[in-house]
Amino acid sequence: MPKMKSHKGAAKRFKVTGSGRIRRRQSHRGHLRLAKGKDSYRRLKGEADLAKGDEKRVKRLLGM
């Protein structure tokens, strides 16, 4: 049986922590920055945990 390949689009967007949780980037930071305001833009900084409902699907895409 050949090896399973991970979904390359998902592999670039998600990161698995040491405890097995999946982290994602915050959305709405790409462009149109001046329309957002500094407080909301700063709040979108960093990474967030993936929702429980999406975790199973993303783990399958990552080959876990």
Side-chain angles (χ1 to χ4, degrees), residues 7 12-14 22 24 26 34 46 48 50 61-62 64:
H7 189 280
K12 294 170 188 176
R13 287 171 171 83
F14 301 106
I22 298 179
R24 63 168 176 82
Q26 297 274 14
L34 291 177
L50 196 65
L61 285 173
L62 295 177
M64 298 176 71

Side-chain angles (χ1 to χ4, degrees), residues 4-55:
M4 279 191 59
K5 292 188 177 182
S6 62
H7 189 280
K8 290 304 179 181
K12 294 170 188 176
R13 287 171 171 83
F14 301 106
K15 185 172 74 172
V16 182
T17 63
S19 62
R21 289 183 325 198
I22 298 179
R23 303 284 283 173
R24 63 168 176 82
R25 285 183 318 196
Q26 297 274 14
S27 58
H28 304 289
R29 261 184 79 95
H31 55 93
L32 298 177
R33 178 178 174 352
L34 291 177
K36 290 183 175 85
K38 61 184 177 186
D39 292 335
S40 62
Y41 202 75
R42 186 172 58 242
R43 194 167 49 242
L44 295 172
K45 188 167 57 170
E47 294 181 337
D49 287 335
L50 196 65
K52 282 288 184 189
D54 299 326
E55 224 171 88

